Amino acid sequence: MEERNRRIWTQYALLLLAGFFVSQLCASSDVKFYDSFDKAFDGRWIVSEKEDYNGVWKHVKSEGHEDHGLLVSEKARKYAIVKELDDVVDLKDGTVVLQYEVRFQEGLECGGAYLKYLRPQEAGWIPKEFNNESPYTIMFGPDRCGATNKVHFILKHKNPKSGEYIEHHLKFPPSVPSDKLTHVYTAVLKPDNEVLILIDGEEKKKVNFLSDYDFEPPLIPAKTIPDPDDKKPEDWDERAKIPDPDAKKPDDWDEDAPMEIEDEDAEKPEGWLDDEPEEIDDPEATKPEDWVDEEDGEWEAPKIDNPKCEEAPGCGEWKRPMKSNPAYKGKWHAPLIDNPNYKGVWKPRDIPNPNYFEFDRPNFEPIAAIGIEIWTMQDGILFDNIMIASDEKVAETYRTTTWKPKFDVEKEKQKAEEAAISGGLNGFQKMVFDLLYKVAGIPFLGEHKSKVLDFLEKAEKQSDLIVGAVISIIIIIFTVVLLLILGGKKQQPVSLTSGPPPLRKKEKNETPFGSVGYFDKRILLALQATTTGVAKKSDGTETSSSNSQGATEKKEEQNEDATAPRRRARREN
């Protein structure tokens, strides 16, 4: 513990020293722009007044630090804010480094956290009306929602022939870290057209602006394009194969022969019980005391498998099984032959691309402002230490002296929290929980998956539920597997002409989880019994959970409900 405290204090001391290095960085001529957000952003950054962008920006401390940042404070909002640079940054000469920090303090499931490096206002935008249409040169940073999980790098480049600005997206971009720590994103644009994408100083991607394979679409367009005015001739035949026009259906080909026929050689097994139904009324079932015939309809006992059928080869009316029909041939079709008129797949002829051009270096538009324009379902997104520099070493020095100590503090805190969550789990118990978490992620649990995961998290934090959790989750998984293998009770055949089944009255043992079948009932009771009943501590003694008051009465009610016969649906007249 003393060693860990010493390490944390050392890291905090490094954070204080970082202020000195930052001041040196800002004084360097290699730093074109830097904002540490140590001071409030009011008066320096301009919040968009466009109606759709109603998200509230805040100047707050990063969680666990004295370091401030620019915070996305509300969920499900659009945000837009912009900072005009004192001096326009030219991307055409030398190296340019774009770097900034972002921290997802509440995690990131659906939202963007990228920056837009904007063109001068002469391109047609106003800071107070900054929105998604404002013209930018580069868009860079993380974005994650649904199937999207990438660190964008998009260059908006003007075609000198057409005058059109085209977005060129980095192919196969790196993914976004999924934790709640501060990460630093760096894009390095070099004079030789090389682009490096770094996350936390580690190179994740190296591409070239002139490569046909690194950007979509490529910056240099194709020399030729399909002629938009070229049309396929009407007599153009693209069929490689055609039915043989000389083929005739054989006289003995019966298209109406069924695929299956009854097996005439089959014989009814000895001991088959023709007069016994597969299911009978449960003789032990009794009519519930609260059943009202006038409201609930005539009560009928629930069905159970006929015990007489268990030892017999079968019950009910015996029918011959079906077998494949040897005379079945299906629909006759003429065999295919090579098409003598085949000309291949038609495509328009190629013509010179009027918008084709070449260059040795992209014609970058200058950067005159930095904007954040995002839509996010998450709050707690914190931006910090935004930098534009002309030297990679400057950005590297910043990461080492300012970002890394902060990241180490957060990492250490995360480890401590994970250890606290594990609580008193010994090595074996932790191994069991890790295994159960992996199993709970398997799709076959279906609708029970979320309940199992919630319960695991609760059990992991409460030592008196550890043993009960292990036992209950194993029972849940085992019963679901049995359900999948055995398929539950036999299902009655459904007539396609009989219409929908009659409406069902809510059963006495129905729960907020829905109607409880045999296996579902065991799963539900396992969860409820473990979370509200008596469980064993790791020392073997018994204790009641915090929710155990009245647990015995609730369990008796649940067990009574679970064993009560199911009500039949009310008969419709």
Side-chain angles (χ1 to χ4, degrees), residues 98-126:
L98 310 176
Q99 183 168 281
Y100 73 103
E101 291 178 8
V102 67
R103 183 182 185 186
F104 306 122
Q105 298 183 135
E106 304 300 329
L108 181 65
E109 295 180 359
C110 187
Y114 39 79
L115 302 187
K116 288 184 176 181
Y117 299 86
L118 300 160
R119 291 157 53 193
Q121 293 185 41
E122 289 77 9
W125 68 280
I126 302 173

Side-chain angles (χ1 to χ4, degrees), residues 104-267:
F104 306 122
Q105 298 183 135
E106 304 300 329
L108 181 65
E109 295 180 359
C110 187
Y114 39 79
L115 302 187
K116 288 184 176 181
Y117 299 86
L118 300 160
R119 291 157 53 193
Q121 293 185 41
E122 289 77 9
W125 68 280
I126 302 173
K128 289 185 177 182
E129 296 181 3
F130 172 52
N131 61 15
N132 63 326
E133 299 296 331
S134 300
Y136 64 87
T137 295
I138 290 174
M139 187 176 113
F140 171 57
D143 186 14
R144 184 177 180 182
C145 191
T148 299
N149 183 354
K150 66 178 73 173
V151 177
H152 289 287
F153 184 88
I154 304 172
L155 173 65
K156 214 164 190 180
H157 189 259
K158 181 180 180 180
N159 184 307
K161 292 292 187 67
S162 66
E164 179 184 5
Y165 283 88
I166 300 174
E167 290 185 355
H168 301 277
H169 293 246
L170 174 66
K171 283 185 179 179
F172 313 114
S175 57
V176 182
S178 58
D179 53 42
K180 300 180 181 180
L181 308 178
T182 299
H183 294 282
V184 57
Y185 296 86
T186 309
V188 182
L189 286 68
K190 296 189 173 183
D192 61 357
N193 295 315
E194 191 174 70
V195 182
L196 302 179
I197 305 297
L198 294 78
I199 301 178
D200 298 344
E202 180 181 351
E203 182 180 305
K204 297 294 184 179
K205 196 77 176 178
K206 179 189 289 186
V207 297
N208 194 290
F209 281 126
L210 302 185
S211 170
D212 292 341
Y213 306 102
D214 291 337
F215 286 89
E216 179 62 38
L219 270 73
I220 299 178
K223 289 184 178 181
T224 61
I225 61 172
D227 184 355
D229 299 323
D230 193 13
K231 306 297 181 183
K232 182 172 69 173
E234 294 182 359
D235 61 348
W236 191 279
D237 197 338
E238 294 183 322
R239 298 174 300 165
K241 298 282 186 180
I242 60 172
D244 185 354
D246 298 326
K248 304 293 182 184
K249 183 174 70 174
D251 294 336
D252 61 347
W253 191 289
D254 185 2
E255 293 184 330
D256 298 325
M259 184 181 295
E260 291 184 332
I261 58 174
E262 286 188 354
D263 185 358
E264 298 294 340
D265 297 329
E267 296 182 357

Side-chain angles (χ1 to χ4, degrees), residues 312-460:
C315 293
E317 180 184 359
W318 180 81
K319 294 181 180 180
R320 284 190 174 86
M322 305 296 286
K323 68 175 184 178
S324 298
N325 182 5
Y328 173 75
K329 294 184 179 181
K331 186 73 175 176
W332 181 84
H333 297 280
L336 297 178
I337 61 172
D338 291 336
N339 182 5
N341 298 319
Y342 176 65
K343 295 184 178 181
V345 178
W346 183 87
K347 61 178 181 179
R349 64 177 177 269
D350 288 336
I351 60 173
N353 184 358
N355 296 322
Y356 174 75
F357 69 95
E358 293 182 352
F359 58 76
D360 296 328
R361 179 113 171 112
N363 185 27
F364 296 108
E365 297 285 345
I367 296 175
I370 298 176
I372 306 174
E373 185 274 317
I374 58 176
W375 176 89
T376 178
M377 294 300 294
Q378 308 292 134
D379 59 353
I381 301 176
L382 190 75
F383 295 87
D384 198 6
N385 296 311
I386 300 175
M387 171 191 289
I388 300 177
S390 59
D391 188 345
E392 292 181 73
K393 292 296 183 182
V394 171
E396 181 181 357
T397 301
Y398 155 75
R399 292 194 301 267
T400 303
T401 60
T402 305
W403 166 78
K404 189 62 164 61
K406 181 164 56 176
F407 177 81
D408 289 342
V409 169
E410 295 168 3
K411 192 73 173 178
E412 193 69 26
K413 182 180 179 182
Q414 177 180 277
K415 290 180 180 179
E417 290 175 349
E418 290 174 351
I421 290 176
S422 298
L425 297 182
N426 59 37
F428 174 75
Q429 290 169 335
K430 188 176 186 303
M431 180 182 67
V432 170
F433 269 98
D434 289 343
L435 179 60
L436 289 176
Y437 271 115
K438 291 180 180 178
V439 174
I442 298 176
F444 74 74
L445 284 176
E447 62 184 12
H448 305 294
K449 178 179 177 181
S450 60
K451 305 181 187 71
V452 172
L453 290 175
D454 290 343
F455 177 62
L456 275 175
E457 292 179 2
K458 181 178 180 181
E460 207 172 15

